[in-house]
Amino acid sequence: MEIRVILRGALSGFVGGVLGFIFARIFAEPVIDKAIDYESGRDAVLAALNHAAGRPVAPDGPEIFSRSIQSTIGTATGIIAFSTAMGVLVAVAYLVLHGRFNVRPRNLAWMIAGFGFLGVYLLPFVKYPANPPAIGHSFTIHTRGALYLAMVAGSLILLGLAVWLARRLAPRFGTAGAVVLATVAFLVVYSVLIGVLPSLGNLAANVAHSDQFGYARAATETPQPITNILSTPLHINGKTIAPGQIAYPGFDADVLWKFRWYSLINQLLIWTVIGLVFGALLDRCLTPPQPKAKTEPTEREPALS
């Protein structure tokens, strides 16, 4: 039975991934294109400013895959692979928990999928929201990845502890009271967690780069306006940039908001499909068919002559 359940979880994740890719292709890709255009213009201005100031210019990295490959095959592979993996994890969690909760298999699948959406995406999103290209420095990528994984692990552990606490308190305070108390305890500890973890703009690497063009101090790594941080004017592309003058604008807040909003909807879509499809497949797989009621044959009435 375990293999059948896991295969159904993988199938539900695959379906969710396909739908997630379609959504991302329609709504998120145009926003990503705008972010990439901004990044290209920003890199060109930074290179010109550093050249004019006599500072070293960072070489452009090689383009391993074209933008068309990234927006089609790359996006599809990433989203579908992630969704399929999450479907498998939901199935494994179901196999571990199905004997501990006296609920219908479909309902347990829904609860696990909701748990996964909260712990894997929504709660970490509050501290470290999704960012499009052009946001995030290359020299902090490993630190950012480690912090995000720490946030995911912490969120999942706190959710699990909240469920355990609610079940322990239920005999004394009732189901509603136990849920309220466990939720309050969770929010308190969760607030401590997001307060302890550092903001991305305060990472040591970002502080060390704050004296360079384009790396003004901020709470996040969202690109700020590029200004002439020197005390002398700079001449780039036939223009004179006075000290303190903006040479290139900051990242468009509307593009950032749309990307994060579409990312949130996309994840909600994926986890919802996983829960619904996996729950339906479990019901068909595990619910025994109901025997059909036998009907007694009726005697034929004699024909009237």
Side-chain angles (χ1 to χ4, degrees):
M1 184 191 76
E2 289 79 4
I3 297 299
R4 291 188 299 166
V5 171
I6 291 175
L7 289 177
R8 282 161 173 78
L11 177 60
S12 64
F14 178 82
V15 174
V18 171
L19 295 178
F21 166 69
I22 294 173
F23 178 89
R25 181 67 179 166
I26 296 173
F27 295 99
E29 282 299 325
V31 179
I32 294 175
D33 288 337
K34 292 180 180 179
I36 292 176
D37 291 341
Y38 171 87
E39 184 179 33
S40 299
R42 179 182 175 86
D43 290 344
V45 171
L46 284 176
L49 283 173
N50 284 312
H51 179 76
R55 296 185 173 190
V57 178
D60 293 333
E63 185 181 36
I64 301 177
F65 298 103
S66 65
R67 176 64 189 134
S68 60
I69 295 296
Q70 295 176 16
S71 63
T72 52
I73 299 176
T75 302
T77 302
I79 294 178
I80 294 175
F82 167 82
S83 183
T84 303
M86 294 303 101
V88 171
L89 289 179
V90 168
V92 172
Y94 172 83
L95 291 173
V96 173
L97 299 174
H98 77 281
R100 294 174 170 82
F101 293 89
N102 188 23
V103 295
R104 186 175 175 179
R106 180 190 64 185
N107 297 343
L108 181 58
W110 292 354
M111 289 189 290
I112 295 173
F115 187 98
F117 171 70
L118 288 174
V120 174
Y121 187 79
L122 186 59
L123 294 174
F125 180 90
V126 174
K127 178 66 178 181
Y128 300 121
N131 288 321
I135 295 183
H137 305 144
S138 59
F139 49 81
T140 62
I141 186 170
H142 296 294
T143 304
R144 286 186 282 121
L147 287 173
Y148 186 82
L149 289 178
M151 192 66 205
V152 171
S155 299
L156 290 173
I157 292 172
L158 291 181
L159 282 172
L161 290 176
V163 173
W164 173 82
L165 181 61
R167 297 189 70 186
R168 290 294 300 269
L169 296 176
R172 182 175 180 182
F173 297 97
T175 301
V179 170
V180 170
L181 291 174
T183 301
V184 171
F186 166 81
L187 291 176
V188 170
V189 182
Y190 173 73
S191 300
V192 173
L193 176 63
I194 63 177
V196 169
L197 291 177
S199 299
L200 297 181
N202 295 325
L203 297 179
N206 287 326
V207 175
H209 283 75
S210 59
D211 61 342
Q212 299 185 18
F213 291 115
Y215 294 99
R217 286 296 305 276
T220 68
E221 291 189 358
T222 303
Q224 305 298 309
I226 300 176
T227 60
N228 181 4
I229 60 177
L230 303 181
S231 58
T232 58
L234 294 176
H235 304 279
I236 62 170
N237 301 327
K239 297 180 180 180
T240 300
I241 308 298
Q245 181 180 348
I246 295 177
Y248 199 74
F251 193 82
D252 190 342
D254 186 57
V255 174
L256 178 60
W257 177 85
K258 285 183 178 179
F259 178 84
R260 289 176 174 174
W261 177 240
Y262 291 148
S263 298
L264 180 61
I265 295 176
N266 194 29
Q267 286 291 317
L268 180 60
L269 171 65
I270 288 173
W271 286 99
T272 300
V273 172
I274 289 176
L276 293 177
V277 175
F278 184 54
L281 293 176
L282 277 181
D283 264 2
R284 294 185 60 183
C285 173
L286 302 179
T287 303
Q290 298 295 331
K292 295 183 180 180
K294 296 182 179 181
T295 58
E296 294 294 335
T298 58
E299 296 182 359
R300 295 182 60 184
E301 296 182 359
L304 298 175
S305 54

